[in-house]
Amino acid sequence: MKQIKIKNYVRYLFGIAFAIFMLNKFYLRPWVVENELPTFFQIVVFSIPNLIEAVFGVLILTGLLLQFRPYFEKTKLIKDTTIYLLAVGLAGVYVISQEYKFHNLGGNNVYDPYDVAASMMGLLLTFVLIKKFGFAD
């Protein structure tokens, strides 16, 4: 299997998102809860994981779909944009259906409209980035 060369910004985006997730989980979220900050800050820190989950989902699925694209086509009929849209769609089905309790694969989940909005923002932001700058060289 020929390996795709992922653009550096995608690697950095993944790493930065992971670092933000860890900082939020272990430092920021407990601090905001302990200090009873205003609702806006609570909404942001409790919704960050959903945004990052959407970013991770799109990036991972895009990489997988690009890696396996040669097995599903003899010619170059499947364009990169099609792959990006498919990755966003699949990631969207997962993260949104989790919010609406169709499954509980992500753990103990409580419905929150702000989490749905954060998931949608993560999906849209990641799509715009990979559409504008590409994913692989």
Side-chain angles (χ1 to χ4, degrees), residues 22-137:
M22 297 305 282
L23 288 171
N24 183 64
K25 180 175 178 82
F26 294 113
Y27 297 108
L28 189 57
R29 184 182 271 191
W31 183 78
V32 167
V33 169
E34 181 180 303
N35 292 302
E36 297 179 18
L37 290 179
T39 306
F40 172 77
F41 294 108
Q42 291 180 17
I43 290 169
V44 170
V45 298
F46 286 121
S47 296
I48 284 174
N50 296 83
L51 183 138
I52 292 174
E53 179 182 42
V55 170
F56 282 169
V58 173
L59 293 178
I60 290 169
L61 286 170
T62 300
L64 288 171
L65 290 169
L66 286 172
Q67 186 70 37
F68 291 114
R69 176 170 52 184
Y71 294 108
F72 297 109
E73 65 173 318
K74 298 293 181 198
T75 62
K76 293 288 181 190
L77 295 177
I78 301 174
K79 298 193 181 314
D80 285 351
T81 302
T82 306
I83 296 287
Y84 303 157
L85 286 171
L86 186 58
V88 169
L90 291 172
V93 166
Y94 173 77
V95 297
I96 302 301
S97 64
Q98 180 180 346
E99 286 304 315
Y100 287 107
K101 298 278 193 192
F102 294 141
H103 62 82
N104 200 23
L105 297 174
N108 232 356
N109 209 18
V110 177
Y111 172 76
D112 182 1
Y114 298 112
D115 289 350
V116 174
S119 295
M120 297 297 286
M121 286 181 356
L123 293 166
L124 184 62
L125 171 73
T126 310
F127 174 74
V128 168
L129 284 173
I130 62 177
K131 177 68 177 133
K132 182 172 175 105
F133 300 113
F135 186 87
D137 289 328

Side-chain angles (χ1 to χ4, degrees), residues 3-18 56 59 135 137:
Q3 205 170 15
I4 61 172
K5 181 165 175 14
I6 298 171
K7 291 191 174 189
N8 283 336
Y9 91 89
V10 174
R11 294 173 193 267
Y12 296 140
L13 176 61
F14 197 90
I16 290 168
F18 183 75
F56 282 169
L59 293 178
F135 186 87
D137 289 328

